[in-house]
Amino acid sequence: MKLKSWFLAFVLGVFLTACGSSGPEDIALDFTKGMYKGDKGITKYIYLKNKEGKEEPGAKEFVEGKIAAGVAHEKEQADAKGGVKEIAITNKEIEKDSAKVELTTTFKDKSTKTNNVYLHKQEGKWFVDLK
């Protein structure tokens, strides 16, 4: 019984760790989904601190303004194509502190769009690089 309980705890721990993963692929996918949904909250995926680890005055507001305009445009484009049917990761290049994730979005009108999301790792977390 003790072995069975230990095994169950191990499997549950592995499952929860895998489900709670926030690797570059997850961040790129969530960021892209948010863009097409018009979610201005995707700014949480962008690292706003400078090299000294401090946030520049006005940086957050600037990025939020740019993101708001970008998500409105992408949502409008997706809506014109009937909405998003699926977003799939089609390629990925992951290094120690940087990554490039290629995603292909299929719209409900059967058209597709492929884009790259560049990411970098800061303070142990992955963030979208606005290039």
Side-chain angles (χ1 to χ4, degrees):
M1 182 67 178
K2 188 175 183 180
L3 181 61
K4 189 176 179 181
S5 296
W6 182 85
F7 180 74
L8 181 60
F10 174 78
V11 170
L12 186 60
V14 169
F15 177 76
L16 291 174
T17 301
C19 289
S21 176
S22 56
E25 305 98 320
D26 300 321
I27 301 298
L29 198 55
D30 289 347
F31 183 80
T32 303
K33 286 178 182 177
M35 285 289 288
Y36 288 121
K37 288 181 181 177
D39 181 5
K40 297 173 198 167
I42 62 172
T43 55
K44 68 182 178 186
Y45 298 116
I46 301 166
Y47 190 74
L48 296 172
K49 296 179 182 176
N50 62 20
K51 291 179 183 176
E52 290 80 36
K54 297 178 182 176
E55 192 174 307
E56 295 287 336
K60 184 176 181 181
E61 293 78 13
F62 176 77
V63 170
E64 285 174 345
K66 292 290 185 185
I67 290 294
V71 298
H73 175 74
E74 292 299 325
K75 182 175 181 345
E76 183 180 307
Q77 296 293 314
D79 289 347
K81 297 176 181 191
V84 173
K85 180 179 178 185
E86 176 186 37
I87 301 173
I89 296 171
T90 49
N91 195 18
K92 58 186 175 182
E93 297 171 20
I94 302 170
E95 296 181 16
K96 182 181 176 187
D97 294 326
S98 65
K100 176 178 133 181
V101 180
E102 181 182 271
L103 301 126
T104 299
T105 303
T106 304
F107 299 95
K108 291 183 180 173
D109 71 354
K110 297 186 176 35
S111 65
T112 61
K113 180 179 177 182
T114 300
N115 65 303
N116 292 311
V117 177
Y118 296 89
L119 303 104
H120 65 278
K121 198 173 199 177
Q122 290 291 128
E123 300 175 11
K125 297 179 183 176
W126 289 98
F127 293 92
V128 173
D129 231 343
L130 298 178
K131 290 188 174 193

